Amino acid sequence: MSVDPVDAISRAVLYEGYALYPYRPSALKNRRRWMLGGLYPRAWAEGQGERWCSRTECLLVGGEAAARVRFLHGEEEREVVGAGPFEFPGIRGEVAFAVTALADGGTRVTVEVRNLTDLAVTAGRDEAGSRCLWSAQVILRARGGRFVSLADPPESLREAAAACRNEGMWPALVAPDAVLSAPVILQDYPRVAPESPGDLFDATEIDEILSLRILTLTEEEKRQAREADGRVRALLDRVEALGVEGLRALHGAIRRPKPGDKVRLRPRERADIMDLALAGKVATVVAVEVDFDDRTHLAVTVDDDPGQDLGRAGLPGHRFYFGVHEVEPL
């Protein structure tokens, strides 16, 4: 069963920093949570110089957008659908949603996530952490339209993209109709490597290195970690079950499309009108070519082009060229 890439990336980011190697709670760095993007209760945060509200702004062309908010509260994953106030045991907040039509085309979508939990400024940090919205993120979906990359917007929307104000969040395209805005910088169209057997939580670590380190833990360290947290227990069990072949698969992979491969087109840089018309379409690589500047280009034919056979024969108008970084392997 295929996994929704938006959901896969969202959950991977959500748990970054949830628990750190060596995972036992007695380790100094595990005595306090180090997750990204915590939103603390407003009064406490304003008194302590912490963040209580995040802001996401991005651009939508056509259609309309809907928002979901995800965060961790303690060890519980929470989700809020749509705008308005929300409340869970021990915390309350609100999601504000607004759209603004732009003169140069498109719509600016704004989402704010606010922690309005009552907590005195004199409260301790541990108590504030127990009422924090950890790793709060916004998932935006478009209906009948597409989002614009803020990292590489079309020329007509470049000024509007530069004017978007994001606070504590970084919106990235996960699909033409989906944006993940999270408290970590992601490039457009991020993916979880298929070789990865699961989350390791210890932010930015390399799977192979960390898995090998986990195998060096003493039995006592593993016992402490397993008894402290169910997610960590599952992590340890998964790593121990990898075996030689599973570890070898983590050593790395080179992914370069070859003739016959299916790809999805993701034009970037100074894309022209034809590139934008082809954005998101499924294509077949028919050739890999290198120019005089030693840059690699992929010649592709578009699968729903009635003249695809002409493109395979090399006729212009049915064969298109994209950089390796402008396609998503399927």
Side-chain angles (χ1 to χ4, degrees):
M1 183 177 64
S2 62
V3 178
D4 177 10
V6 180
D7 189 65
I9 292 296
S10 167
R11 293 188 184 282
V13 172
L14 186 67
Y15 286 96
E16 282 297 325
Y18 176 81
L20 307 180
Y21 176 87
Y23 298 113
R24 52 185 171 80
S26 59
L28 181 61
K29 60 182 178 180
N30 282 323
R31 295 179 189 175
R32 181 170 293 163
R33 186 147 287 177
W34 293 95
M35 299 187 68
L36 304 171
L39 301 179
Y40 290 91
R42 179 173 183 172
W44 187 91
E46 290 179 333
Q48 300 291 334
E50 298 285 359
R51 188 177 297 279
W52 65 273
C53 175
S54 71
R55 181 185 181 92
T56 293
E57 283 194 344
C58 59
L59 302 180
L60 175 69
V61 176
E64 56 185 19
R68 285 186 294 148
V69 172
R70 275 181 179 163
F71 59 89
L72 288 180
H73 173 220
E75 297 180 5
E76 297 296 321
E77 182 179 322
R78 306 294 191 185
E79 183 167 291
V80 179
V81 179
F86 63 83
E87 188 167 350
F88 297 101
I91 55 172
R92 66 182 182 89
E94 68 177 5
V95 177
F97 183 89
V99 295
T100 306
L102 303 176
D104 49 359
T107 301
R108 182 170 62 244
V109 179
T110 304
V111 183
E112 289 192 355
V113 183
R114 304 162 182 161
N115 187 343
L116 303 180
T117 306
D118 293 322
L119 185 67
V121 70
T122 54
R125 182 167 288 273
D126 288 343
E127 184 176 357
S130 70
R131 298 174 185 272
C132 183
L133 315 183
W134 290 107
S135 196
Q137 59 181 237
V138 176
I139 301 170
L140 287 163
R141 294 273 194 176
R143 294 190 294 265
R146 60 178 177 83
F147 289 103
V148 173
S149 168
L150 296 188
D152 186 24
E155 191 63 39
S156 62
L157 291 172
R158 198 168 295 275
E159 289 188 11
C164 286
R165 183 161 60 92
N166 288 281
E167 299 176 359
M169 303 291 266
W170 184 275
L173 291 178
V174 184
D177 63 348
V179 162
L180 173 64
S181 184
V184 59
I185 296 176
L186 296 172
Q187 65 180 11
D188 287 339
Y189 302 107
R191 290 292 183 270
V192 175
E195 294 83 7
S196 178
D199 292 332
L200 293 173
F201 306 142
D202 196 330
T204 73
E205 288 287 356
I206 299 171
D207 282 22
E208 179 186 24
I209 296 174
L210 190 52
S211 295
L212 291 171
R213 292 297 302 164
I214 290 170
L215 293 176
T216 68
L217 293 174
T218 67
E219 291 304 315
E220 175 59 20
E221 287 177 315
K222 292 176 183 178
R223 184 192 65 78
Q224 291 181 30
R226 283 192 169 97
E227 291 180 354
D229 189 281
R231 291 190 179 95
V232 172
R233 180 168 59 251
L235 180 159
L236 295 178
D237 291 344
R238 186 178 67 241
V239 171
E240 290 188 327
L242 281 175
V244 175
E245 291 303 317
L247 288 169
R248 184 177 291 124
L250 299 180
H251 189 59
I254 298 175
R255 294 185 179 86
R256 183 174 291 250
K258 60 184 181 300
D261 285 355
K262 297 288 186 182
V263 297
R264 193 175 300 278
L265 303 179
R266 306 296 193 191
R268 301 186 185 183
E269 299 175 347
R270 297 186 178 276
D272 60 23
I273 188 63
M274 179 58 74
D275 290 337
L276 296 177
L278 297 177
K281 289 188 176 293
V282 175
T284 301
V285 178
V286 294
V288 179
E289 301 179 4
V290 179
D291 64 19
F292 289 110
D293 295 320
D294 203 32
R295 294 177 299 186
T296 301
H297 303 273
L298 303 177
V300 306
T301 59
V302 178
D303 284 12
D304 63 4
D305 178 4
Q308 186 183 30
D309 57 334
L310 300 176
R312 287 195 291 267
L315 269 67
H318 299 278
R319 176 179 285 209
F320 307 94
Y321 291 85
F322 292 89
V324 175
H325 63 293
E326 294 183 296
V327 303
E328 171 193 329
L330 297 178

